[in-house]
Amino acid sequence: MEVMSDAAGSATGDGIVLSGIEQLFRTKDQEVLALTEIDLTISAGEFLVLLGPSGCGKTTLLRIIAGLQQPTNGSVEVGGNSLWRNASRNDAVMAELGVVFQEANLFPWMTIEDNIALPLKLRGVGKSERRKRARELCEMVGITGFEKRWPRELSGGMRQRAAIARALSCRPKILLMDEPFGALDAMTRDQMNSELQRIWMDSGCTVILVTHSIREAVFLADRVLLLSPRPGRMDTIRDIPIARPRDIYVQSMAEFQEIETELRRRLDTFGETTDEGSGS
Ligand SMILES: Nc1ncnc2c1ncn2[C@@H]1O[C@H](COP(=O)(O)OP(=O)(O)O)[C@@H](O)[C@H]1O
Ligand SMILES: [Mg+2]
């Protein structure tokens, strides 16, 4: 693996440690090795972006970190605690995670406020406290005034803001996002990237975000992990030493473009088209 980084995986006590992760999928008539030899430490508070060609195992790796998939081999530790003990999942670790997928997956029969506060309700938080917290979260993600609306009344970008608010409702230490802005138009996406950066800087949580937009990766990340085509291996770790907060104009800086080109060249060697926003 190539490490274009000064401090790849500097360990901290609160970080996430992936050791020897391997994922083999067995279907009726074939075996698919989706991921192999994933060894990585993600520092507390870091913004890590997973980048790679379609089918290289990005979603699988995120699902493994989210505890939604037990890896065939290897371990996931969060803050020194193993996510799995044999076949049983450590729910105390799960409680520190918030997850956002490409589709907002809001319940259509619940108001935005009730959707956002659902994780709190499931934890027994009372109604007035839930409402207060939902208001704060709506303000944080920029949808104040839409608390009583139905999901269908919101644009795609606003629904995704609500999904982020819901993921943040229980103040997770780790926010996991799988192509959260993949279905949005380019302008909305740029705006969401800026806002996500702000939310992350305000909350201090660790973010692991999957994308196949190189530009989005360079804009958001402290480090980019580029995975190789299947079976996904750690191909490149790239530090992004651009000062924060970053505004959209950093995209026209020479430093930004050099990093973008470097990653694009590497992805091109995999035979991946690098059209922004294509594929899945
Ligand atoms: N539950 C599953 N059963 C069998 N194969 C799977 C399963 N999930 C993912 N795969 C396969 O593993 C590989 C990686 O998939 P995925 O993690 O979704 O890639 P990415 O998100 O990078 O596009 C693909 O070849 C996919 O078909
Ligand atoms: Mg995926």
Side-chain angles (χ1 to χ4, degrees):
M1 186 201 47
E2 192 163 350
V3 177
M4 299 187 269
S5 163
D6 298 329
S10 63
T12 71
D14 267 351
I16 302 167
V17 183
L18 308 177
S19 311
I21 299 280
E22 188 161 76
Q23 182 64 52
L24 183 68
F25 288 114
R26 290 188 186 86
T27 56
K28 247 187 293 171
D29 45 3
Q30 60 172 349
E31 290 191 340
V32 173
L33 184 60
L35 287 169
T36 189
E37 294 174 30
I38 305 294
D39 290 284
L40 181 70
T41 297
I42 302 148
S43 304
E46 178 172 0
F47 201 126
L48 180 80
V49 173
L50 302 178
L51 183 68
S54 296
C56 74
K58 301 180 295 296
T59 293
T60 302
L61 185 54
L62 201 78
R63 285 175 50 83
I64 287 171
I65 300 168
L68 300 171
Q69 169 82 45
Q70 185 174 23
T72 314
N73 286 301
S75 67
V76 179
E77 273 184 28
V78 179
N81 299 306
S82 291
L83 188 49
W84 294 92
R85 205 162 292 132
N86 300 319
S88 73
R89 193 169 58 190
N90 185 339
D91 287 333
V93 173
M94 292 289 285
E96 305 197 336
L97 309 173
V99 186
V100 179
F101 296 102
Q102 181 166 358
E103 299 300 330
N105 295 323
L106 302 171
F107 291 114
W109 61 85
M110 286 186 192
T111 62
I112 293 300
E113 177 180 280
D114 287 348
N115 266 287
I116 291 173
L118 183 62
L120 298 170
K121 189 176 184 183
L122 296 175
R123 284 169 201 220
V125 176
K127 197 168 181 178
S128 64
E129 178 62 25
R130 291 205 304 270
R131 182 158 302 162
K132 180 166 163 275
R133 182 84 183 117
R135 291 251 149 85
E136 287 169 13
L137 287 159
C138 283
E139 194 185 336
M140 187 181 205
V141 302
I143 52 172
T144 295
F146 290 85
E147 290 85 349
K148 300 293 182 199
R149 301 290 192 92
W150 304 104
R152 65 173 178 276
E153 299 180 280
L154 272 62
S155 67
M158 292 174 93
R159 279 201 292 270
Q160 211 49 326
R161 289 169 193 262
I164 294 169
R166 180 180 55 190
L168 292 171
S169 63
C170 294
R171 303 183 202 280
K173 289 194 180 142
I174 300 162
L175 184 60
L176 303 170
M177 310 178 91
D178 193 356
E179 308 209 27
F181 311 131
L184 305 179
D185 62 86
M187 253 167 74
T188 309
R189 189 168 185 162
D190 278 347
Q191 193 183 0
M192 293 298 289
N193 282 338
S194 297
E195 302 228 0
L196 176 61
Q197 174 184 234
R198 176 184 56 74
I199 291 164
W200 165 73
M201 290 177 83
D202 288 349
S203 71
C205 64
T206 308
V207 175
I208 304 177
L209 178 141
V210 168
T211 185
H212 59 253
S213 160
I214 303 169
R215 199 177 331 118
E216 183 168 82
V218 178
F219 181 79
L220 286 170
D222 288 329
R223 282 193 298 167
V224 175
L225 170 58
L226 179 63
L227 293 174
S228 71
R230 201 178 73 204
R233 297 171 196 272
M234 296 173 47
D235 181 82
T236 301
I237 291 182
R238 182 57 160 101
D239 268 349
I240 313 295
I242 300 173
R244 296 188 193 268
R246 300 171 187 164
D247 61 31
I248 57 161
Y249 303 106
V250 299
Q251 298 182 5
S252 51
M253 282 171 41
E255 187 181 18
F256 188 101
Q257 291 178 357
E258 275 161 24
I259 298 170
E260 194 184 350
T261 304
E262 176 188 304
L263 289 169
R264 192 175 297 275
R265 281 217 181 89
R266 190 65 202 153
L267 256 171
D268 278 344
T269 66
F270 301 155
E272 173 85 344
T273 64
T274 53
D275 290 357
E276 296 288 342
S278 67
S280 66

